[in-house]
Amino acid sequence: MDTQRFFYRPSGLTAVIIWSWVAIFFCGGVIFQYEMAKFNWPAIIIACLFVLLLAWELLGRQLVFTGQNLIVRRLFAPRALTVNIHQLEQLTLSGRTMSFSLSGKRYRFRVTKRAMTRIKSIVSAENSHNPNQD
């Protein structure tokens, strides 16, 4: 099986906190620009930093399926979380949310509808290859 990558967004309160910080950075840049009342380079630099932060937020989180392994790449984690698909407990795939438990910790990710369809097919294909699952 080839490697398949999907971008995800955190779900729930984590998403609200993260996007609030991004919005604060944006609003700070806008306020800084309006206070100067003329074209200035620091405001342009803040705008470029905002675009880079936004791109990092959107593209930095990935779910990578490689065979039977799921790799979760997070923004501030030095190493990605790697787990076998068959070790996921309470796996739920509904709507646009993928959630599971692993070692007592609950994970929830929001993905696109197309990604959810492909994830469901990957998980069902792996489950059909492992009939001994509980």
Side-chain angles (χ1 to χ4, degrees):
M1 178 181 223
D2 58 330
T3 300
Q4 296 190 30
R5 297 177 190 278
F6 306 101
F7 296 111
Y8 73 89
R9 305 291 149 258
S11 186
L13 189 57
T14 304
V16 172
I17 292 169
I18 289 170
W19 288 110
S20 295
W21 280 105
V22 172
I24 288 171
F25 189 77
F26 174 74
C27 292
V30 170
I31 290 170
F32 185 78
Q33 173 60 39
Y34 282 134
E35 287 294 324
M36 295 311 224
K38 63 177 182 156
F39 179 79
N40 57 25
W41 284 105
I44 299 301
I45 292 171
I46 290 173
C48 291
L49 289 175
F50 169 73
V51 170
L52 289 174
L53 176 65
L54 189 62
W56 185 50
E57 285 286 333
L58 293 175
L59 302 175
R61 294 182 175 94
Q62 295 180 5
L63 297 173
V64 181
F65 287 90
T66 57
Q68 294 183 350
N69 291 327
L70 168 64
I71 301 169
V72 179
R73 294 191 176 141
R74 298 170 283 186
L75 290 180
F76 294 112
R79 286 187 274 152
L81 172 68
T82 303
V83 64
N84 190 312
I85 293 174
H86 303 295
Q87 294 176 334
L88 301 178
E89 304 164 358
Q90 301 173 353
L91 178 64
T92 306
L93 303 169
S94 62
R96 299 174 101 187
T97 304
M98 173 184 177
S99 61
F100 60 87
S101 294
L102 181 66
S103 302
K105 194 171 182 182
R106 189 82 177 144
Y107 296 90
R108 292 182 60 183
F109 308 110
R110 288 188 52 85
V111 295
T112 62
K113 288 182 182 180
R114 184 173 11 163
M116 182 56 72
T117 304
R118 292 181 64 196
I119 289 171
K120 285 180 182 178
S121 67
I122 292 169
V123 170
S124 64
E126 289 301 321
N127 286 339
S128 67
H129 289 141
N130 187 16
N132 296 332
Q133 185 159 350
D134 301 321

